[in-house]
Amino acid sequence: MHGRRLHTTQHRQIIDASLVCITFQTGALGAAMPMGLDGDEVQQAFQGMLDQSDADGDGRLSSAELEPIIRAGAPHLSVADVRHTISLMDGDGDGFVNLADFRQAANEPPPAEVVPIAFRAEDTDGNGQLTQQQALEVAPSLLSGHRQLEHVRYVLEDADTDGDGMLEQDEFTFAVVALQKEA
């Protein structure tokens, strides 16, 4: 029974790390809002990160404490992408992410500059392309507000200029930025 419990705990940490990773990849916790997180759940997510990674117990997360969380969900991201993603979360520029930074990010749409990072995070095989399904899974997290999934699908399909069913980074970026401007 103890082994099963440990496995369940490890599984939850992986899920939590993935949620946080998605959050950080998009540059805003607002990306998680369409998945149904309310204010209390945002606070719980941040508390979970603190419980897992706040080594010095100061109630905020440094770059060194955040990097393993991001790497758990996207180990193939470059060091530059990880650092840039962390800097986007640091709303007050003090070098740490605290609850206020986290909440601020939850209320702001992710900046367009995050779209290529999200693309690279989803491009797990590193071929420089996403399938339509992969693009459809990550694109809504980059959009503020609720969009009709069929409209997002249409815009992504339309962005596939060569019609091969795959989106290159520039096609994906163009489509998502166009969707962001519609808001």
Side-chain angles (χ1 to χ4, degrees):
M1 182 74 167
H2 179 67
R4 173 78 175 132
R5 186 175 191 173
L6 178 62
H7 174 72
T8 303
T9 302
Q10 289 171 339
H11 181 69
R12 177 163 170 90
Q13 287 176 340
I14 290 168
I15 291 170
D16 290 346
S18 296
L19 171 63
V20 171
C21 182
I22 290 167
T23 298
F24 277 89
Q25 289 164 3
T26 62
L29 190 57
M33 290 304 185
M35 292 186 278
L37 291 184
D38 63 25
D40 289 338
E41 290 169 323
V42 169
Q43 186 165 344
Q44 290 172 359
F46 186 72
Q47 187 60 50
M49 291 169 48
L50 288 176
D51 293 346
Q52 182 178 346
S53 300
D54 186 14
D56 59 9
D58 65 355
R60 56 191 188 163
L61 297 168
S62 68
S63 293
E65 292 167 333
L66 285 169
E67 186 171 343
I69 296 171
I70 295 170
R71 291 246 173 252
H76 56 282
L77 279 181
S78 71
V79 171
D81 282 345
V82 171
R83 287 182 181 159
H84 184 67
T85 301
I86 292 169
S87 74
L88 290 170
M89 290 299 297
D90 181 12
D92 58 14
D94 67 355
F96 297 91
V97 174
N98 57 35
L99 181 57
D101 294 331
F102 210 61
R103 282 195 173 147
Q104 178 181 352
N107 294 318
E108 295 178 3
E113 68 188 276
V114 174
V115 175
I117 295 172
F119 178 93
R120 290 189 295 273
E122 188 68 24
D123 181 19
T124 55
D125 62 7
N127 71 352
Q129 299 178 318
L130 298 180
T131 65
Q132 287 289 332
Q133 184 59 39
Q134 286 174 305
L136 191 57
E137 288 172 9
V138 72
S141 70
L142 297 164
L143 305 172
S144 62
H146 298 281
R147 297 269 188 342
Q148 293 291 327
L149 193 56
E150 284 306 312
H151 178 64
V152 174
R153 182 188 316 271
Y154 172 79
V155 171
L156 291 170
E157 288 173 358
D158 193 50
D160 181 15
T161 57
D162 59 8
D164 65 355
M166 304 291 285
L167 289 173
E168 284 76 26
Q169 183 174 320
D170 61 333
E171 294 171 326
F172 178 77
T173 300
F174 178 80
V176 171
V177 169
L179 285 164
Q180 287 177 330
K181 290 179 181 177
E182 287 179 2

